[in-house]
Amino acid sequence: MTGVEDHYRQAVEHLDESPLVPYRARARLLYGQWLRRAGRGRECRQQLRLAHEMLTDVGAEAFARRAAGELRAAGEPARTRSGPGLDGLTEQEVCIARLVGTGATSKEVAARLFLSPRTVDAHLRNIFRKLGIASRRQLRDQPGLGG
């Protein structure tokens, strides 16, 4: 293990206890990228897979795509995880819909995803249109979104 790797491992371990999922995921993404470039396939795929899952869950689409690209470069396709009835939604819309479906307010969702409440509301309008629903309560009843 090199000094550089020690720093990556320390960052991952330190952030593993953090509630800041995007930072935890980014640390794993960066470590996975470094491992891939060091030719350590199995280890890099594990880190990149976890990073991709976390980034997808929080709706960080650009970083999730980056993790997916790194996974492909490491020889593993990234799995997409949209449930039934969610096919027309973007990853960020799925994340917002799930959070709102559990009862979170636009302000709470915005804080969690590092967005503005207005952006969350704009996504909700698109979600409602795409799913053919009219209220936040109806999100709980959607397959794959239930709270």
Side-chain angles (χ1 to χ4, degrees), residues 1-11 30-31 34 40:
M1 188 165 20
T2 68
V4 173
E5 184 173 8
D6 288 336
H7 291 294
Y8 280 117
R9 284 178 170 236
Q10 287 173 0
L30 292 171
Y31 183 34
W34 182 84
R40 295 167 56 188

Side-chain angles (χ1 to χ4, degrees), residues 124-144:
L124 279 173
R125 285 190 296 277
N126 289 333
I127 292 165
F128 291 169
R129 180 182 47 78
K130 289 177 180 181
L131 296 179
I133 61 175
S135 74
R136 292 169 175 258
R137 283 191 182 164
Q138 290 176 297
L139 285 174
R140 285 190 293 242
D141 300 330
Q142 292 295 311

Side-chain angles (χ1 to χ4, degrees), residues 13-135:
E13 289 170 11
H14 177 72
L15 290 168
D16 266 347
E17 301 302 317
S18 170
L20 302 172
V21 177
Y23 293 104
R24 289 180 12 217
R26 288 277 324 273
R28 289 190 179 279
L29 173 58
L30 292 171
Y31 183 34
Q33 288 176 308
W34 182 84
L35 288 167
R36 187 177 75 75
R37 284 163 181 78
R40 295 167 56 188
R42 185 175 348 143
E43 294 167 285
C44 83
R45 286 189 293 274
Q46 178 185 7
Q47 294 299 321
L48 293 169
R49 195 176 313 114
L50 288 169
H52 182 260
E53 290 172 10
M54 287 189 273
L55 292 163
T56 299
D57 287 346
V58 298
E61 294 179 44
F63 284 116
R65 282 193 302 272
R66 184 167 152 192
E70 290 287 333
L71 267 173
R72 280 191 301 276
E76 179 178 314
R79 295 185 185 146
T80 57
R81 298 187 316 169
S82 64
L86 307 179
D87 293 335
L89 301 181
T90 66
E91 292 174 12
Q92 187 153 30
E93 288 170 342
V94 170
C95 184
I96 289 169
R98 284 186 176 139
L99 291 170
V100 170
T102 64
T105 66
S106 291
K107 189 174 181 178
E108 292 167 339
V109 173
R112 183 159 177 195
L113 300 180
F114 303 103
L115 300 170
S116 75
R118 289 180 67 179
T119 299
V120 171
D121 289 337
H123 280 295
L124 279 173
R125 285 190 296 277
N126 289 333
I127 292 165
F128 291 169
R129 180 182 47 78
K130 289 177 180 181
L131 296 179
I133 61 175
S135 74

